[in-house]
Amino acid sequence: MHPDILLGKRLSRLHDAMAAHVARGTVPGVVVLLSQHGDVHVDLFGAKAVGGRERMARDTIFRISSMTKPIIAVATMQLIEDGTLQLDEPVDRLLPELANRRVLRRIDGALEDTVPAHRAITVRDLLTFRLGFGLIFAETEGYPIFQAANDLQIGMGPPSPATMPAPDEWLRRLGTLPLMYQPGERWLYNTGSDILGVLIARAAGQPLESLLRERIFVPLGMEDTSFSVPPSKRDRFVPSYSPDETGALAVYDPAEGSQWSSPPAFMSGAGGLVSTVNDMLAFGQLLLNKGQNGDTRLLSANSIELMTTDQLTPTQREEAGGFLDGDRGWGFGLAIIGASHDGTTHPGRFGWEGGLGTSWASDPAEDLVAILMTQVMGFHGGIYDDFWQAIYGTSDD
């Protein structure tokens, strides 16, 4: 089938699927973007707020939560390329709070029941989420380590910038806890990107936002990507909702008086950024172009290839549970979707979701960038699945 016809079919399916979600109240509104061979299509649905009259727009600002992770990974690779960091160096040089780690004998064991770590945590461990510490998707009861981490307010749940301490204090608190597993042993979500945010800021000698702005946001023209929303842009910012047990949408974070209204003490590399579809297209296209942005190279093709190659063992993917089920692997700060897992073929696409309602992937085989942005937490109503099904999931195309 001719690519233009295929794209047209995808756009039609996508429009119908997203309009249906807004009509039945899964989300108040949606912004979707498809870009193929430089041909950009944006579709807008619904309102910015429940019961509101102001419509979604192409420049609407969303909390992108975990879609922050690949941006942090790119900044880390830039520092590796310029020699500020090394991929396989221990983090102890810049993060002495994480030196000489102890490791739980059992994940559900007492915090004092530990053994020495077999080796130091490396930069690669942080990028691949194999540092030995991260989220456990279970009730905290029966897991003293998870309860202790929650008590220390180090970010073991949805993004909440107003509750987080400043970076040095955050790392000090983390350093009081043992690791859950040995470094390199297991894939555990989230914490690696927060540690990377502290690491690269210390390595560069500047605040994390300044680093990202200088090396990524300004070169790519990502004018609305930040860790907070200034008053001049507040009218473009949406509330964030969380569905209750009945499916009704309750406000998680308002647009006015938001936790993102002022620069946070802790700029979370795991989930702190806000952005727009325009900005995320620029980022997704950079990776699709193997680090090239017009006449400027921001990252080498080799680094992009490494980032977008599955780094996990079969056992590590299996133990990751639903996060990396089916044909998913994990590279540096993002998922590899359709990967061969043996490095012999290029992945079908790479990208990641944000738990507050966003999803993105870049597809080298089809020269395609696809972005979904909503303002509802989680995978509510199957909207993520329907988005990707509309793009990839029919047998007649």
Side-chain angles (χ1 to χ4, degrees), residues 247-304:
L249 301 181
V251 175
Y252 171 70
D253 185 68
E256 290 295 332
S258 166
Q259 292 190 64
W260 280 263
S261 292
S262 58
F266 185 83
M267 297 173 186
S268 172
L273 288 173
V274 300
S275 192
T276 64
V277 290
N278 292 332
D279 284 8
M280 286 308 301
L281 170 61
F283 180 77
Q285 195 67 48
L286 174 75
L287 271 63
L288 207 57
N289 294 344
K290 292 191 176 295
Q292 190 75 28
N293 177 48
D295 295 331
T296 305
R297 177 162 291 283
L298 300 187
L299 201 59
S300 73
N302 287 341
S303 289
I304 297 293

Side-chain angles (χ1 to χ4, degrees), residues 55-290:
R55 311 302 291 176
M56 282 292 186
R58 182 165 174 167
D59 64 354
T60 296
I61 298 172
F62 298 83
R63 301 157 192 80
I64 63 169
S65 50
S66 286
M67 281 162 53
T68 304
K69 293 174 169 68
I71 295 174
I72 294 296
V74 165
T76 303
M77 296 306 292
Q78 289 175 324
L79 292 179
I80 289 170
E81 286 196 352
D82 69 17
T84 304
L85 293 171
Q86 295 182 41
L87 183 59
D88 291 306
E89 73 168 302
V91 301
D92 303 9
R93 173 174 65 89
L94 290 164
L95 307 179
E97 298 93 334
L98 299 184
N100 304 314
R101 293 289 78 202
R102 304 286 298 183
V103 183
L104 291 174
R105 288 183 188 273
R106 293 167 46 101
I107 186 62
D108 58 354
L111 298 183
E112 300 77 21
D113 187 13
T114 63
V115 298
H118 297 330
R119 62 168 176 80
I121 298 168
T122 67
V123 177
R124 186 190 296 266
D125 291 331
L126 300 180
L127 286 163
T128 60
F129 287 5
R130 292 183 294 191
L131 67 148
F133 194 98
L135 296 189
I136 304 171
F137 295 94
E139 296 295 327
T140 58
E141 184 178 356
Y143 292 90
I145 184 66
F146 195 52
Q147 186 60 57
N150 274 338
D151 292 345
L152 290 174
Q153 293 184 306
I154 58 172
M156 301 299 284
S160 182
T163 67
M164 302 280 279
D168 290 353
E169 172 60 15
W170 180 87
L171 198 62
R172 185 199 68 78
R173 295 183 190 184
L174 179 63
T176 67
L177 298 173
L179 298 179
M180 300 170 181
Y181 294 94
Q182 289 287 344
E185 180 181 358
R186 190 158 179 157
W187 187 91
L188 293 170
Y189 191 54
N190 200 66
T191 309
S193 289
D194 270 338
I195 299 174
L196 277 174
V198 179
L199 174 71
I200 63 176
R202 286 187 181 181
Q206 60 187 129
L208 181 59
E209 178 141 16
S210 298
L211 170 65
L212 298 180
R213 190 160 303 285
E214 176 184 306
R215 288 179 171 257
I216 298 174
F217 301 159
V218 169
L220 292 180
M222 297 173 66
E223 298 177 353
D224 294 317
T225 304
S226 178
F227 287 101
S228 61
V229 182
S232 61
K233 298 181 179 181
R234 206 71 50 76
D235 62 326
R236 295 195 277 127
F237 192 37
V238 291
S240 176
Y241 297 94
S242 177
D244 64 19
E245 61 277 1
T246 70
L249 301 181
V251 175
Y252 171 70
D253 185 68
E256 290 295 332
S258 166
Q259 292 190 64
W260 280 263
S261 292
S262 58
F266 185 83
M267 297 173 186
S268 172
L273 288 173
V274 300
S275 192
T276 64
V277 290
N278 292 332
D279 284 8
M280 286 308 301
L281 170 61
F283 180 77
Q285 195 67 48
L286 174 75
L287 271 63
L288 207 57
N289 294 344
K290 292 191 176 295

Side-chain angles (χ1 to χ4, degrees), residues 305-325:
E305 192 70 26
L306 190 58
M307 280 186 63
T308 59
T309 299
D310 185 20
Q311 302 289 316
L312 305 187
T313 68
T315 299
Q316 287 168 341
R317 285 193 300 275
E318 183 177 349
E319 290 173 341
F323 262 95
L324 300 178
D325 56 2

